[in-house]
């Protein structure tokens, strides 16, 4: 396993711009999760995919946020019209094991700074 | 009130000390209890998990769950400077469900 990868690792953008992050899960992991983590807080759930189907979305995921997972492989998270409150670490996780379904493997995160 | 409460610390201990980290929760539907370790600017790494109540030991780490009190603990024996990190408790109501995290406790182990 090469692990969960995320790109970019850091993104600085101006308020009002759109940004897109990519997550590549561990190969053959069919479940993929997005979380957001702000300084001094634990990760907060944003959304969850099983294969290409988006099964759950948090109320945190406003209409400016959209996530996709075409073909059930990599996933993208787009934030439109960014606001300073969107500044956070965006974490992706994947899981697969039937015997340990709760075991989510996290990527290194994408740190977003909105100026 | 948050579903999961965790004292953010920071907690500073000398090398070799026994460390106790704790979380309380309010949702009785939680069945899976995890501890993650997160180094600065890295993603969380799963350390321990427990299903329902009981204890689990793995090397220097012991996880305890008391569902009657809605209280979970992580003990680290013979703490090392390399244990310095933020420790996050996480819980889930179902196997594939989203994780609900505590705020994390920052631990510093000094030589």
């Amino acid at each position: 396993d090469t692990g969960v990868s995320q790109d970019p690792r850091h993104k600085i953008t101006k308020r009002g711009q759109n940004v897109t992050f990519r997550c590549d899960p561990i190969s053959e992991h069919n479940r993929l999760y997005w979380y957001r983590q702000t300084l001094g807080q634990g990760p907060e759930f944003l959304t969850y995919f099983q294969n290409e189907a988006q099964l759950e979305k948090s109320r945190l995921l406003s209409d400016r946020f959209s996530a996709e997972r075409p073909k059930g492989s990599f996933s993208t998270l787009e934030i439109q019209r960014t606001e300073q409150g969107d500044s956070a670490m965006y974490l992706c996780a994947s899981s697969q094991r039937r015997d340990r379904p709760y075991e989510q493997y996290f990527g290194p995160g994408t740190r977003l700074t909105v100026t | 009130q948050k579903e999961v409460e965790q004292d953010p610390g920071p907690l500073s201990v000398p090398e070799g000390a026994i460390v106790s980290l704790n979380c309380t929760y309010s949702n009785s539907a939680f069945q899976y209890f995890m501890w993650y370790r997160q180094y600065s600017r890295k993603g969380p790494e799963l350390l321990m998990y427990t299903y329902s109540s009981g204890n689990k030991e793995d090397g220097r780490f012991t996880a305890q769950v008391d569902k009657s009190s809605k209280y979970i603990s992580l003990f680290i024996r013979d703490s090392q400077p390399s244990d310095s990190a933020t420790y996050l408790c996480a819980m889930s109501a179902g196997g594939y469900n989203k994780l609900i995290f505590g705020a994390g406790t920052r631990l510093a182990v000094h030589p």
Side-chain angles (χ1 to χ4, degrees):
Chain A
D1 287 339
T2 56
V4 178
S5 61
Q6 293 187 245
D7 184 69
R9 294 291 307 277
H10 304 275
K11 179 71 176 179
I12 300 174
T13 191
K14 292 185 177 179
R15 189 178 55 184
Q17 297 295 304
N18 299 344
V19 294
T20 299
F21 310 141
R22 176 179 171 126
C23 170
D24 286 272
I26 293 172
S27 179
E28 298 180 356
H29 275 199
N30 64 353
R31 290 172 176 80
L32 187 148
Y33 306 78
W34 284 98
Y35 293 84
R36 181 172 69 185
Q37 186 176 24
T38 54
L39 198 61
Q41 299 298 317
E44 292 177 294
F45 171 77
L46 292 178
T47 190
Y48 156 53
F49 290 86
Q50 180 173 328
N51 299 312
E52 66 274 11
Q54 189 173 19
L55 296 187
E56 187 175 354
K57 293 197 300 184
S58 163
R59 285 173 295 176
L60 292 175
L61 215 65
S62 74
D63 56 6
R64 296 185 299 106
F65 288 71
S66 63
E68 293 182 341
R69 194 183 181 198
K71 302 178 183 177
S73 56
F74 70 92
S75 176
T76 58
L77 178 67
E78 181 183 16
I79 308 174
Q80 296 182 326
R81 306 181 303 281
T82 52
E83 301 173 356
Q84 286 189 320
D86 297 331
S87 295
M89 173 81 90
Y90 289 84
L91 292 161
C92 176
S94 69
S95 72
Q96 167 72 347
R97 292 186 62 152
R98 293 182 186 275
D99 58 334
R100 299 210 297 252
Y102 46 82
E103 191 166 303
Q104 295 184 19
Y105 295 85
F106 282 81
T110 294
R111 183 170 297 279
L112 173 66
T113 302
V114 181
T115 62
Chain B
Q1 184 185 4
K2 292 184 177 181
E3 281 189 282
V4 180
E5 298 280 357
Q6 183 176 10
D7 186 337
L11 187 60
S12 181
V13 301
E15 184 174 355
I18 296 174
V19 176
S20 172
L21 304 166
N22 312 292
C23 288
T24 59
Y25 64 95
S26 57
N27 188 345
S28 57
F30 288 144
Q31 296 282 347
Y32 296 90
F33 303 91
M34 278 71 72
W35 286 94
Y36 281 80
R37 177 174 61 195
Q38 186 174 28
Y39 292 111
S40 182
R41 299 185 178 272
K42 303 283 187 183
E45 168 195 13
L46 180 64
L47 267 182
M48 299 279 293
Y49 80 93
T50 311
Y51 172 69
S52 195
S53 283
N55 294 359
K56 187 165 187 176
E57 188 173 322
D58 184 2
R60 296 185 295 111
F61 299 89
T62 300
Q64 291 184 350
V65 174
D66 181 348
K67 291 189 72 178
S68 62
S69 303
K70 295 189 175 65
Y71 187 87
I72 72 169
S73 301
L74 178 71
F75 297 95
I76 307 174
R77 290 184 299 281
D78 187 26
S79 56
Q80 302 295 309
S82 58
D83 295 328
S84 298
T86 295
Y87 289 80
L88 297 154
C89 62
M91 305 177 192
S92 168
Y96 295 113
N97 286 20
K98 63 194 176 193
L99 298 178
I100 308 298
F101 283 85
T105 300
R106 276 177 47 202
L107 171 66
V109 182
H110 51 86

